[in-house]
Amino acid sequence: MTIQASDRVIYKKKKYTLIDVEKGKQIINCAEFKMPEHSFFMSSGCRRGYIAEYIIEDEKLYGIKYETDWDEMKNIKSEKLFMNYTGSCIIALAENEEKKFYNSDFLECYLDYDVALELHFTNGILDEVINLGDTISEFRALKETEEYKSDDTQPFTRKSLRKEIAHKHLKYEYDYRSYKWR
């Protein structure tokens, strides 16, 4: 399985990675993007055929859709549109350059980032921000325990613990598959 290209969320002048959206929802479907004519290109690293950049300005959610032109091998972008999205999402930020391209195909990936937030929107207006920093700290502390590091601890057990921590402090419900695979 190829790691999929990540969507981005610009929030308070910082570029976050979109980790996941609330179960059963897609932000991109909340606006009618019109793309210029081009030869469509599909990549195994972007099975949806596009990436999105979301911008939060004055607590309102906007989006831009990017596709790749096959003939010119360049990004084609849509106009910036208001996204009338109601639901939540998880975004994460890597402050360290070495972490900038972490995997974001699974919800629990946010534990590897330096900052993570759960955002909620109602009709495209940001109305709740939950800092997931304590959850990241809890996971980092667990990783340092002898039990977790032990060769006797099965990889499946580590994965289960990671998943349990990632989900336990979330307010909203997320699917077992990332939004990029739904």
Side-chain angles (χ1 to χ4, degrees), residues 22-74:
E22 191 171 342
K23 184 176 183 176
K25 300 186 179 191
Q26 291 286 359
I27 300 173
I28 198 76
N29 296 340
C30 295
E32 187 70 33
F33 290 97
K34 293 176 182 30
M35 300 301 292
E37 279 295 316
H38 64 281
S39 300
F40 187 72
F41 174 75
M42 189 90 136
S43 156
S44 66
C46 189
R47 73 157 197 88
R48 301 175 302 161
Y50 65 86
I51 58 171
E53 183 172 80
Y54 300 105
I55 304 105
I56 301 169
E57 293 176 347
D58 298 323
E59 308 303 309
K60 293 180 183 143
L61 181 64
Y62 298 90
I64 300 172
K65 185 175 183 179
Y66 293 88
E67 294 178 356
T68 302
D69 184 297
W70 174 257
D71 294 330
E72 299 192 28
M73 291 308 292
K74 69 177 186 177

Coordinates of all heavy atoms in Angstrom, one line a residue, residues 22-74:
E22 N -14.3 13.4 10.6 CA -15.4 12.6 11.3 C -15.9 11.5 10.5 O -16.1 11.6 9.3 CB -16.5 13.6 11.8 CG -17.4 13.0 12.8 CD -18.4 14.0 13.3 OE1 -18.1 15.3 13.2 OE2 -19.4 13.6 13.9
K23 N -16.3 10.4 11.2 CA -16.8 9.2 10.5 C -18.0 9.5 9.6 O -18.9 10.3 10.0 CB -17.2 8.2 11.6 CG -17.7 6.9 11.0 CD -18.0 5.9 12.2 CE -18.4 4.6 11.6 NZ -18.6 3.6 12.7
G24 N -17.9 9.0 8.4 CA -19.0 9.2 7.5 C -19.1 10.5 6.8 O -20.0 10.8 6.0
K25 N -18.0 11.4 6.9 CA -18.1 12.7 6.3 C -16.8 12.9 5.5 O -15.8 12.3 5.6 CB -18.1 13.8 7.4 CG -19.4 13.6 8.3 CD -19.5 14.7 9.3 CE -20.8 14.4 10.0 NZ -21.2 15.5 10.8
Q26 N -16.9 13.9 4.6 CA -15.8 14.4 3.7 C -16.0 15.9 3.6 O -17.0 16.4 3.2 CB -15.9 13.7 2.3 CG -15.6 12.3 2.3 CD -14.1 11.9 2.5 OE1 -13.3 12.8 2.6 NE2 -13.8 10.7 2.5
I27 N -14.9 16.6 3.9 CA -15.0 18.1 3.8 C -15.1 18.5 2.4 O -15.9 19.4 2.0 CB -13.7 18.7 4.5 CG1 -13.7 18.3 6.0 CG2 -13.8 20.2 4.3 CD1 -12.4 18.8 6.6
I28 N -14.3 17.8 1.5 CA -14.2 18.3 0.1 C -15.6 18.3 -0.6 O -15.8 19.0 -1.5 CB -13.2 17.4 -0.7 CG1 -12.7 18.0 -2.0 CG2 -13.8 16.0 -0.9 CD1 -11.7 19.1 -1.8
N29 N -16.5 17.5 -0.1 CA -17.8 17.4 -0.8 C -18.7 18.6 -0.4 O -19.9 18.6 -1.0 CB -18.5 16.1 -0.4 CG -17.8 14.9 -0.9 OD1 -17.0 14.9 -1.8 ND2 -18.1 13.7 -0.2
C30 N -18.3 19.5 0.4 CA -19.1 20.6 0.8 C -19.0 21.8 -0.1 O -19.5 22.8 0.3 CB -18.7 21.0 2.3 SG -19.1 19.7 3.4
A31 N -18.4 21.7 -1.2 CA -18.3 22.8 -2.2 C -18.2 22.2 -3.6 O -17.7 21.0 -3.8 CB -17.1 23.7 -1.9
E32 N -18.7 22.9 -4.6 CA -18.7 22.5 -6.0 C -17.4 23.1 -6.7 O -17.5 24.2 -7.1 CB -20.0 22.9 -6.6 CG -20.1 22.4 -8.0 CD -20.4 20.9 -8.1 OE1 -21.0 20.3 -7.2 OE2 -20.0 20.3 -9.1
F33 N -16.3 22.4 -6.7 CA -15.1 22.9 -7.3 C -15.2 22.7 -8.8 O -15.5 21.7 -9.3 CB -13.9 22.1 -6.8 CG -13.6 22.4 -5.3 CD1 -14.0 21.6 -4.3 CD2 -12.8 23.6 -5.0 CE1 -13.7 21.9 -3.0 CE2 -12.6 23.9 -3.7 CZ -13.0 23.0 -2.7
K34 N -14.8 23.8 -9.5 CA -14.7 23.8 -10.9 C -13.3 23.8 -11.3 O -12.6 24.8 -11.0 CB -15.5 25.0 -11.5 CG -17.0 24.9 -11.3 CD -17.7 26.1 -11.8 CE -19.2 26.0 -11.6 NZ -19.8 25.4 -10.5
M35 N -12.8 22.8 -12.0 CA -11.4 22.7 -12.4 C -11.2 23.1 -13.8 O -12.1 22.7 -14.7 CB -10.9 21.3 -12.1 CG -11.0 20.8 -10.7 SD -10.1 21.7 -9.5 CE -8.4 21.4 -10.0
P36 N -10.1 23.8 -14.1 CA -9.9 24.1 -15.5 C -9.7 22.8 -16.3 O -9.3 21.8 -15.8 CB -8.6 24.9 -15.5 CG -8.4 25.3 -14.1 CD -9.1 24.3 -13.3
E37 N -9.9 22.8 -17.6 CA -9.7 21.7 -18.5 C -8.2 21.3 -18.4 O -7.3 22.1 -18.5 CB -10.0 22.0 -20.0 CG -11.5 21.9 -20.3 CD -12.1 20.5 -20.1 OE1 -11.4 19.6 -20.6 OE2 -13.2 20.4 -19.6
H38 N -8.0 20.0 -18.3 CA -6.6 19.5 -18.2 C -6.6 17.9 -18.4 O -7.7 17.3 -18.3 CB -5.9 19.8 -17.0 CG -6.5 19.2 -15.7 ND1 -7.6 19.7 -15.1 CD2 -6.1 18.2 -15.0 CE1 -7.9 19.0 -14.0 NE2 -7.0 18.1 -13.9
S39 N -5.5 17.4 -18.7 CA -5.4 15.9 -18.9 C -5.1 15.4 -17.5 O -4.1 15.6 -16.9 CB -4.2 15.6 -19.8 OG -4.4 16.1 -21.0
F40 N -6.1 14.6 -17.0 CA -6.1 14.2 -15.6 C -5.0 13.1 -15.4 O -4.8 12.3 -16.2 CB -7.5 13.6 -15.3 CG -7.6 13.2 -13.9 CD1 -7.8 14.2 -12.9 CD2 -7.6 11.9 -13.5 CE1 -8.0 13.8 -11.6 CE2 -7.8 11.5 -12.1 CZ -8.0 12.5 -11.2
F41 N -4.3 13.2 -14.2 CA -3.2 12.3 -13.9 C -3.6 11.6 -12.5 O -3.9 12.3 -11.6 CB -1.9 13.1 -13.8 CG -0.8 12.2 -13.3 CD1 -0.2 11.3 -14.1 CD2 -0.3 12.4 -12.0 CE1 0.9 10.5 -13.6 CE2 0.8 11.6 -11.5 CZ 1.4 10.7 -12.3
M42 N -3.4 10.3 -12.5 CA -3.7 9.6 -11.3 C -2.4 8.9 -10.8 O -1.7 8.4 -11.6 CB -4.7 8.5 -11.5 CG -5.2 7.9 -10.3 SD -6.6 8.8 -9.6 CE -7.7 7.4 -9.2
S43 N -2.1 9.0 -9.5 CA -0.9 8.4 -9.0 C -1.3 7.4 -7.9 O -2.3 7.5 -7.2 CB -0.1 9.5 -8.4 OG 0.8 9.1 -7.4
S44 N -0.4 6.4 -7.7 CA -0.7 5.4 -6.6 C -0.6 6.1 -5.3 O -1.1 5.6 -4.3 CB 0.2 4.2 -6.7 OG 1.6 4.6 -6.5
G45 N 0.1 7.2 -5.2 CA 0.3 8.0 -3.9 C -0.9 8.9 -3.7 O -0.9 9.7 -2.7
C46 N -1.9 9.0 -4.6 CA -3.0 9.8 -4.5 C -4.2 9.2 -5.2 O -4.6 9.7 -6.2 CB -2.7 11.2 -5.0 SG -4.0 12.5 -4.6
R47 N -4.7 8.1 -4.6 CA -5.7 7.3 -5.3 C -7.0 8.1 -5.6 O -7.8 7.8 -6.5 CB -6.1 6.1 -4.6 CG -6.8 6.3 -3.3 CD -7.6 5.0 -2.9 NE -8.6 5.4 -1.9 CZ -9.8 5.7 -2.2 NH1 -10.2 5.8 -3.5 NH2 -10.7 6.1 -1.3
R48 N -7.3 9.2 -4.8 CA -8.5 10.0 -5.0 C -8.3 10.9 -6.2 O -9.3 11.4 -6.8 CB -8.7 11.0 -3.8 CG -8.9 10.2 -2.5 CD -9.0 11.2 -1.3 NE -7.8 12.0 -1.2 CZ -7.8 13.2 -0.6 NH1 -8.8 13.6 0.1 NH2 -6.7 13.8 -0.5
G49 N -7.0 11.2 -6.7 CA -6.8 12.0 -7.8 C -6.7 13.5 -7.6 O -6.6 14.3 -8.5
Y50 N -6.7 13.9 -6.3 CA -6.6 15.3 -6.0 C -6.1 15.4 -4.5 O -6.1 14.4 -3.8 CB -7.9 16.0 -6.0 CG -9.0 15.5 -5.0 CD1 -9.0 16.0 -3.7 CD2 -9.8 14.5 -5.4 CE1 -9.9 15.5 -2.8 CE2 -10.7 14.0 -4.4 CZ -10.7 14.5 -3.1 OH -11.6 14.0 -2.2
I51 N -5.6 16.6 -4.2 CA -5.3 16.9 -2.8 C -6.0 18.2 -2.5 O -6.4 18.9 -3.5 CB -3.8 17.0 -2.5 CG1 -3.1 18.1 -3.4 CG2 -3.1 15.7 -2.6 CD1 -1.7 18.4 -3.0
A52 N -6.2 18.5 -1.3 CA -6.9 19.7 -0.9 C -6.1 20.5 0.1 O -5.4 19.9 0.9 CB -8.3 19.3 -0.3
E53 N -6.3 21.8 0.1 CA -5.8 22.6 1.1 C -6.9 23.4 1.7 O -7.7 24.0 0.9 CB -4.7 23.6 0.5 CG -4.1 24.5 1.5 CD -2.9 25.3 0.9 OE1 -3.2 26.3 0.3 OE2 -1.8 24.8 1.1
Y54 N -7.1 23.3 3.0 CA -8.1 24.0 3.7 C -7.5 25.2 4.5 O -6.4 25.1 5.0 CB -8.9 23.1 4.6 CG -9.5 21.9 3.9 CD1 -8.9 20.6 3.9 CD2 -10.6 22.1 3.1 CE1 -9.4 19.6 3.2 CE2 -11.1 21.0 2.4 CZ -10.6 19.8 2.4 OH -11.1 18.8 1.7
I55 N -8.2 26.3 4.5 CA -7.7 27.5 5.1 C -8.8 28.0 6.1 O -10.0 28.1 5.7 CB -7.4 28.6 4.1 CG1 -6.4 28.1 3.0 CG2 -6.9 29.9 4.7 CD1 -7.0 27.8 1.7
I56 N -8.4 28.2 7.3 CA -9.3 28.8 8.3 C -9.0 30.2 8.5 O -7.9 30.6 9.0 CB -9.2 28.0 9.7 CG1 -9.5 26.5 9.4 CG2 -10.2 28.6 10.7 CD1 -9.2 25.7 10.6
E57 N -9.9 31.1 8.0 CA -9.7 32.6 8.1 C -10.9 33.1 8.8 O -12.0 32.9 8.4 CB -9.6 33.2 6.7 CG -8.4 32.8 6.0 CD -8.4 33.4 4.5 OE1 -9.4 33.9 4.1 OE2 -7.3 33.3 3.9
D58 N -10.7 33.9 9.9 CA -11.7 34.5 10.6 C -12.8 33.5 11.1 O -14.0 33.7 11.0 CB -12.4 35.6 9.8 CG -11.5 36.8 9.5 OD1 -10.6 37.1 10.4 OD2 -11.6 37.3 8.4
E59 N -12.3 32.3 11.5 CA -13.1 31.2 12.0 C -13.9 30.5 10.9 O -14.8 29.7 11.2 CB -13.9 31.6 13.2 CG -13.2 32.3 14.3 CD -12.0 31.4 14.9 OE1 -12.2 30.3 15.2 OE2 -10.9 32.0 14.9
K60 N -13.7 30.9 9.6 CA -14.5 30.3 8.5 C -13.6 29.3 7.7 O -12.4 29.6 7.6 CB -15.0 31.4 7.6 CG -16.0 32.2 8.2 CD -16.5 33.3 7.2 CE -17.5 34.2 7.9 NZ -17.4 35.6 7.5
L61 N -14.1 28.3 7.2 CA -13.4 27.2 6.5 C -13.5 27.4 5.0 O -14.6 27.5 4.5 CB -13.9 25.8 6.9 CG -13.2 24.6 6.3 CD1 -11.8 24.5 6.7 CD2 -14.0 23.4 6.7
Y62 N -12.4 27.5 4.3 CA -12.3 27.6 2.9 C -11.4 26.5 2.3 O -10.7 25.9 3.1 CB -11.6 28.9 2.5 CG -12.4 30.1 2.9 CD1 -12.1 30.7 4.2 CD2 -13.4 30.7 2.1 CE1 -12.9 31.8 4.6 CE2 -14.1 31.8 2.6 CZ -13.9 32.4 3.8 OH -14.6 33.5 4.2
G63 N -11.6 26.2 1.1 CA -10.8 25.1 0.5 C -10.4 25.4 -0.9 O -11.0 26.1 -1.7
I64 N -9.3 24.7 -1.3 CA -8.7 24.8 -2.7 C -8.4 23.3 -3.0 O -7.9 22.6 -2.3 CB -7.4 25.6 -2.8 CG1 -7.7 27.0 -2.3 CG2 -6.9 25.5 -4.2 CD1 -6.4 27.9 -2.2
K65 N -8.9 22.9 -4.2 CA -8.6 21.6 -4.7 C -7.5 21.6 -5.8 O -7.5 22.5 -6.6 CB -9.9 21.0 -5.3 CG -9.9 19.6 -5.8 CD -11.2 19.1 -6.3 CE -11.3 17.7 -6.7 NZ -12.6 17.3 -7.1
Y66 N -6.6 20.6 -5.7 CA -5.5 20.5 -6.6 C -5.5 19.2 -7.3 O -5.7 18.2 -6.7 CB -4.1 20.6 -5.8 CG -3.8 21.9 -5.2 CD1 -4.3 22.2 -3.9 CD2 -3.1 22.9 -5.9 CE1 -4.0 23.4 -3.3 CE2 -2.8 24.1 -5.3 CZ -3.3 24.4 -4.0 OH -3.0 25.5 -3.4
E67 N -5.4 19.2 -8.6 CA -5.2 18.1 -9.5 C -3.9 18.2 -10.3 O -3.4 19.3 -10.4 CB -6.4 17.9 -10.4 CG -7.7 17.5 -9.6 CD -8.9 17.4 -10.6 OE1 -8.8 17.6 -11.8 OE2 -10.0 17.1 -10.0
T68 N -3.4 17.1 -10.8 CA -2.2 17.2 -11.6 C -2.6 17.1 -13.1 O -3.3 16.2 -13.5 CB -1.2 16.1 -11.2 OG1 -0.9 16.3 -9.8 CG2 0.1 16.2 -12.0
D69 N -2.0 18.0 -13.9 CA -2.2 17.9 -15.4 C -1.1 16.9 -15.9 O 0.1 17.1 -15.7 CB -1.9 19.3 -16.0 CG -2.1 19.3 -17.5 OD1 -1.4 18.6 -18.2 OD2 -3.0 20.1 -17.9
W70 N -1.6 15.9 -16.6 CA -0.8 14.8 -17.1 C 0.2 15.3 -18.2 O 1.4 15.0 -18.2 CB -1.6 13.7 -17.7 CG -0.9 12.6 -18.4 CD1 -0.7 12.5 -19.8 CD2 -0.1 11.6 -17.8 NE1 0.1 11.4 -20.0 CE2 0.4 10.8 -18.8 CE3 0.1 11.2 -16.5 CZ2 1.2 9.7 -18.6 CZ3 0.9 10.1 -16.2 CH2 1.4 9.3 -17.3
D71 N -0.3 16.2 -19.1 CA 0.6 16.6 -20.2 C 1.7 17.5 -19.7 O 2.8 17.4 -20.1 CB -0.3 17.4 -21.2 CG -1.2 16.5 -21.9 OD1 -0.9 15.3 -22.1 OD2 -2.3 16.9 -22.3
E72 N 1.4 18.4 -18.8 CA 2.4 19.4 -18.3 C 3.0 19.0 -17.0 O 3.9 19.7 -16.5 CB 1.8 20.8 -18.3 CG 1.3 21.2 -19.6 CD 0.9 22.7 -19.7 OE1 1.5 23.5 -18.9 OE2 0.1 23.1 -20.5
M73 N 2.5 18.0 -16.3 CA 3.0 17.5 -15.0 C 3.1 18.7 -14.0 O 4.1 18.9 -13.4 CB 4.3 16.7 -15.2 CG 4.1 15.4 -15.8 SD 2.8 14.3 -15.2 CE 3.5 13.9 -13.6
K74 N 2.1 19.4 -14.0 CA 2.0 20.5 -13.0 C 0.7 20.5 -12.3 O -0.3 20.0 -12.8 CB 2.3 21.9 -13.7 CG 1.2 22.3 -14.6 CD 1.5 23.7 -15.2 CE 0.3 24.2 -16.0 NZ 0.5 25.5 -16.5

